C-alpha cells in the first residue's frame, strides 16, 4: 500500500526543528510523509487509527555492531535489523570492525554492501574505519559512501583494527574535514599501572582494571586534537562514542563552549545499570568502557538533561554465548559488549519518565539528534513532510519483564533478562512499509543502504 494514513491523539511531529506532540493524521504517499492533517481529517486513502498510542519518528541508532561479512556467527544483518525493527529503530549505522574484512578500504566496504542484499529490515548506513595503515585510502573510502569514520585509541580486540596515535589522526583529520564527516573515537588510553589488577569473577575487579582516568585522558587528547584542527582551519568534527566516565563531562562541555565541533554519546547500559548491582561472574554485563557506579550514572543523566551529552545509542555489540564465557563466569576472558538492540526505548523511557523527560525529549535524543549526527537528517529523524515515512507506534503505559524469549537478535542473551520495563513498541514502519507488528515481522525485508551523497 503506497498511499495511506496513520492517525493518533498523540503524534510527535516536527515543528520548525523542535518536536511537539499533537493529535494528527499523517498521510503517507510513495514512502514519504506527504502531509500532516488535523486529527479526524477525511481522506481519500485508508486511515489506520491508533487511538491514544504514540506515533513517534522511527529511531536512528548510530552505533551498532553487526559483524557481517566474516563473523556472522556473532550477528548478521538479517537478525540485527529484525531486532532493530522490533525496537522501533528504522535506521541504524553499522560499525567498521568485528566484521571480516574490517571496513577500512573501498574494496572492503563493497564486500559489506554485497552482503546486505535481501537482509535489511530497516535502512542501514555504514561507518568506515581509520587505522595507521589506511590513511591513503580514506578519500576513496569516503567517496564510496560511508557516513564517517571511527578509530580506537586502545586495543580494539580485533587485530585487523589497531589503534591510532596522534600522528595518524593529524594525517586523517584534514581529509575528514574536507568531506565534512564526523570522526568517531573509542576514547580510552591505556595509562598503565593498572595491569597489576587481577581480574577475578568479581565485577569490581574488572571495573578497577579500566579506570575513569583512561577515558578522561583520551578525551583530553581528543580535545587537543580538535583544537589543533580548528586552528589549522579544518575544524574536524570529533565525536566520543559510548561515554561512561562522569569525570570527562566538564572537558566535553569546555570543548563545546570553545566552538569546537565536539560531541559525545552515551548508552542505555550506562544510564540504567549501576556497577553495585552487577552480580559477580555475570559476564553479560562486561563492556568497554565499563559500567560504573550509581553516582556516576546519575551524573550521566544530568549531562543528558543539560546537553553535555548529545544523544543515546545502543552500542549493540554481540558475540556468541561461548565468547561471553557465561558458564565459567570468567570476566577477564569474556568478550566485552552489551546485546540489547531492541530494548533501548523501553529501557530509557522507564528511567527517563521518572526524571521529567517526555517522549518528545526521547525522540530528540534517540532520533533527530542521531540522524543529524550521521548526516541523515534530510530524510530521517522526524515526522515532517518530505521525510521518509519512518514511524514507530509506542504504548508508553504497559509494563512487562524482558525475557530471553523476546530477543530478535541472533543469540538470545542480554544482561536485561528479568528486568521490568515500561513502554512497548507495537508497530514499526520503514519508508511507509509496515515491517513489524506486535512481535511479528511482516512481508519481506524492505530496508536499503544509506550512502553519503545518495540518500
Amino acid at each position: 500500500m503506497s498511499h495511506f494514513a496513520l492517525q493518533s491523539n498523540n503524534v510527535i511531529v516536527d515543528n520548525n526543528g523542535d518536536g511537539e506532540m499533537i493529535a494528527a493524521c499523517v498521510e503517507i504517499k510513495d514512502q514519504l510523509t506527504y502531509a500532516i492533517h488535523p486529527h479526524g481529517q477525511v481522506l481519500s486513502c485508508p486511515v489506520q487509527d491508533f487511538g491514544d498510542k504514540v506515533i513517534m519518528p522511527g529511531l536512528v541508532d548510530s552505533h551498532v555492531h553487526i559483524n557481517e561479512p566474516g563473523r556472522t556467527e556473532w550477528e548478521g544483518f538479517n537478525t540485527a535489523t529484525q531486532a532493530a525493527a522490533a525496537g522501533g529503530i528504522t535506521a541504524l549505522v553499522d560499525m567498521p570492525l568485528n566484521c571480516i574484512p574490517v571496513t577500512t578500504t573501498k574494496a572492503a566496504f563493497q564486500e559489506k554492501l554485497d552482503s546486505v542484499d535481501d537482509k535489511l529490515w530497516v535502512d542501514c548506513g555504514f561507518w568506515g574505519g581509520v587505522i595507521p595503515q589506511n590513511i591513503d585510502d580514506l578519500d576513496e573510502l569516503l567517496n564510496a559512501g560511508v557516513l564517517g569514520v571511527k578509530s580506537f585509541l586502545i586495543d580494539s580486540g580485533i587485530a585487523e583494527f589497531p589503534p591510532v596515535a596522534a600522528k595518524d589522526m593529524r594525517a586523517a583529520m584534514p581529509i575528514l574535514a574536507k568531506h565534512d564527516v564526523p570522526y568517531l573515537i573509542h576514547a580510552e588510553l591505556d595509562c598503565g599501572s593498572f595491569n597489576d589488577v587481577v581480574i577475578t569473577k568479581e565485577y569490581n575487579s574488572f571495573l578497577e582494571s579500566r579506570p575513569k582516568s583512561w577515558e578522561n585522558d583520551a578525551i583530553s587528547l581528543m580535545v587537543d586534537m580538535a583544537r589543533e584542527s580548528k586552528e589549522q582551519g579544518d575544524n574536524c568534527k570529533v565525536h566520543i562514542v559510548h561515554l561512561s566516565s562522569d569525570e570527562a563531562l566538564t572537558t566535553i562541555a569546555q570543548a563545546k563552549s570553545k566552538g569546537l565541533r565536539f560531541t559525545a554519546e552515551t548508552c542505555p547500559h550506562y544510564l540504567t545499570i549501576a556497577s553495585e548491582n552487577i552480580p559477580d561472574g555475570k559476564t553479560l554485563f562486561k563492556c568497554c568502557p565499563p559500567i560504573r557506579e550509581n553516582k556516576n550514572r546519575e551524573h550521566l543523566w544530568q549531562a543528558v538533561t543539560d546537553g553535555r551529552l548529545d544523544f543515546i545509542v545502543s552500542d549493540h555489540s554481540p558475540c556468541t554465548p561461548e565468547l561471553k564465557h557465561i558458564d565459567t563466569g570468567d570476566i577477564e576472558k569474556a568478550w566485552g559488549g552489551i546485546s540489547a538492540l531492541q530494548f533501548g526505548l523501553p529501557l530509557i523511557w522507564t528511567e527517563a519518565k521518572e526524571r521529567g523527560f517526555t517522549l518528545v525529549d526521547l525522540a530528540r535524543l534517540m532520533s533527530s539528534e542521531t540522524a543529524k549526527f550521521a548526516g541523515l537528517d534530510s530524510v530521517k529523524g522526524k515526522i515532517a513532510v518530505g521525510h521518509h515515512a519512518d514511524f514507530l507506534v509506542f504504548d508508553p503505559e504497559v509494563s512487562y519483564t524482558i525475557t530471553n524469549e523476546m530477543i530478535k537478535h541472533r543469540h538470545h542473551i542480554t544482561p536485561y533478562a528479568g528486568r521490568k520495563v515500561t513502554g512497548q513498541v507495537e508497530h514499526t514502519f520503514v519508508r511507509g512499509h509496515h515491517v513489524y507488528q506486535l512481535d511479528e515481522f511482516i512481508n519481506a525485508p524492505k530496508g536499503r543502504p544509506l550512502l553519503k551523497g545518495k540518500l
Side-chain angles (χ1 to χ4, degrees):
M1 187 162 51
S2 62
H3 186 199
F4 64 102
L6 306 179
Q7 177 169 275
S8 168
N9 290 314
N10 298 293
V11 184
I12 298 176
V13 299
D14 179 64
N15 181 14
N16 296 319
D18 293 319
E20 65 171 344
M21 190 182 290
I22 61 172
C25 180
V26 182
E27 186 178 358
I28 296 112
K29 197 172 186 179
D30 299 328
Q31 304 186 43
L32 302 178
T33 295
Y34 179 73
I36 298 171
H37 302 285
H39 188 279
Q41 179 91 24
V42 177
L43 299 174
S44 59
C45 63
V47 178
Q48 192 168 359
D49 194 315
F50 289 104
D52 291 329
K53 303 287 172 67
V54 181
I55 300 177
M56 298 176 61
L59 305 185
V60 178
D61 189 341
S62 56
H63 193 148
V64 182
H65 295 269
I66 294 181
N67 315 333
E68 186 172 3
R71 284 192 176 91
T72 46
E73 70 275 14
W74 293 21
E75 187 70 274
F77 281 102
N78 185 62
T79 49
T81 58
Q82 283 194 333
I89 298 163
T90 53
L92 57 80
V93 191
D94 170 61
M95 282 292 170
L97 71 161
N98 303 356
C99 49
I100 303 172
V102 291
T103 315
T104 53
T105 65
K106 180 182 178 182
F109 182 41
Q110 190 58 52
E111 273 195 62
K112 181 168 279 191
L113 288 176
D114 291 342
S115 74
V116 305
D117 278 353
D118 300 325
K119 294 175 185 170
L120 299 181
W121 288 84
V122 304
D123 290 347
C124 187
F126 307 88
W127 300 120
V130 176
I131 57 175
Q133 299 85 350
N134 83 324
I135 307 296
D136 291 341
D137 300 313
L138 272 185
D139 249 327
E140 189 178 57
L141 178 60
L142 288 159
N143 285 328
V146 297
L147 301 176
V149 291
K150 180 184 186 180
S151 286
F152 276 68
L153 302 182
I154 196 169
D155 177 23
S156 71
I158 302 291
E160 316 94 282
F161 207 94
V164 293
K167 67 179 190 324
D168 306 310
M169 293 191 280
R170 285 192 181 99
M173 289 170 81
I175 302 168
L176 306 180
K178 179 182 74 176
H179 288 268
D180 196 30
V181 295
Y183 193 8
L184 289 73
I185 301 293
H186 181 118
E188 288 183 289
L189 277 174
D190 188 341
C191 306
S193 80
F194 289 91
N195 295 332
D196 51 358
V197 174
V198 177
I199 301 176
T200 66
K201 287 188 178 183
E202 291 184 14
Y203 180 80
N204 272 344
S205 68
F206 170 65
L207 186 56
E208 287 171 21
S209 77
R210 294 184 93 104
K212 291 181 185 181
S213 59
W214 286 20
E215 280 190 90
N216 305 342
D217 291 355
I219 289 167
S220 293
L221 169 64
M222 292 317 304
V223 172
D224 289 342
M225 298 298 301
R227 186 183 300 116
E228 193 178 299
S229 173
K230 186 184 181 194
E231 287 168 355
Q232 291 172 352
D234 294 325
N235 207 6
C236 178
K237 296 177 183 174
V238 173
H239 177 74
I240 305 302
V241 297
H242 50 48
L243 182 85
S244 83
S245 169
D246 60 349
E247 291 175 0
L249 291 167
T250 300
T251 308
I252 291 167
Q254 288 170 347
K256 290 171 182 269
S257 71
K258 289 173 182 171
L260 303 182
R261 302 170 85 189
F262 207 91
T263 52
E265 69 190 32
T266 195
C267 309
H269 38 283
Y270 301 126
L271 293 169
T272 66
I273 305 171
S275 60
E276 294 94 328
N277 300 326
I278 297 176
D280 293 339
K282 290 296 183 183
T283 58
L284 288 174
F285 291 88
K286 179 183 178 180
C287 58
C288 300
I291 295 165
R292 304 193 188 277
E293 304 81 4
N294 193 57
K295 186 178 178 183
N296 184 96
R297 183 178 80 95
E298 291 294 342
H299 290 159
L300 294 181
W301 270 112
Q302 289 170 19
V304 171
T305 304
D306 63 32
R308 285 173 291 167
L309 288 172
D310 293 272
F311 48 78
I312 301 167
V313 290
S314 71
D315 186 17
H316 176 65
S317 186
C319 67
T320 63
E322 292 74 25
L323 282 170
K324 266 297 187 186
H325 290 270
I326 295 169
D327 296 335
T328 66
D330 192 327
I331 295 176
E332 183 171 24
K333 288 182 181 174
W335 177 261
I338 302 291
S339 295
L341 184 58
Q342 82 195 62
F343 301 117
L345 184 55
L347 285 166
I348 292 298
W349 175 236
T350 303
E351 287 271 345
K353 66 185 175 63
E354 304 300 327
R355 299 165 185 272
F357 286 81
T358 66
L359 284 171
V360 172
D361 297 324
L362 296 200
R364 175 177 54 81
L365 290 164
M366 302 177 77
S367 190
S368 62
E369 286 298 321
T370 44
K372 182 178 172 184
F373 164 68
L376 302 174
D377 51 322
S378 64
V379 292
K380 302 289 186 188
K382 55 190 176 184
I383 298 176
V385 173
H387 271 56
H388 288 175
D390 289 355
F391 315 104
L392 69 97
V393 178
F394 190 64
D395 183 338
E397 306 293 340
V398 65
S399 294
Y400 56 97
T401 299
I402 293 173
T403 66
N404 287 329
E405 291 72 32
M406 294 175 179
I407 293 172
K408 307 302 183 187
H409 57 255
R410 175 156 190 166
H411 298 290
H412 294 185
I413 52 175
T414 180
Y416 293 108
R419 189 183 186 99
K420 190 173 182 181
V421 292
T422 300
Q424 190 161 44
V425 176
E426 295 191 346
H427 302 264
T428 306
F429 296 80
V430 177
R431 282 177 288 103
H433 301 291
H434 198 177
V435 297
Y436 175 80
Q437 174 177 269
L438 303 175
D439 205 41
E440 299 290 337
F441 299 101
I442 302 172
N443 303 315
K446 298 289 188 182
R448 67 185 191 202
L450 299 167
L451 304 183
K452 184 172 169 60
K454 300 178 182 176
L455 296 178

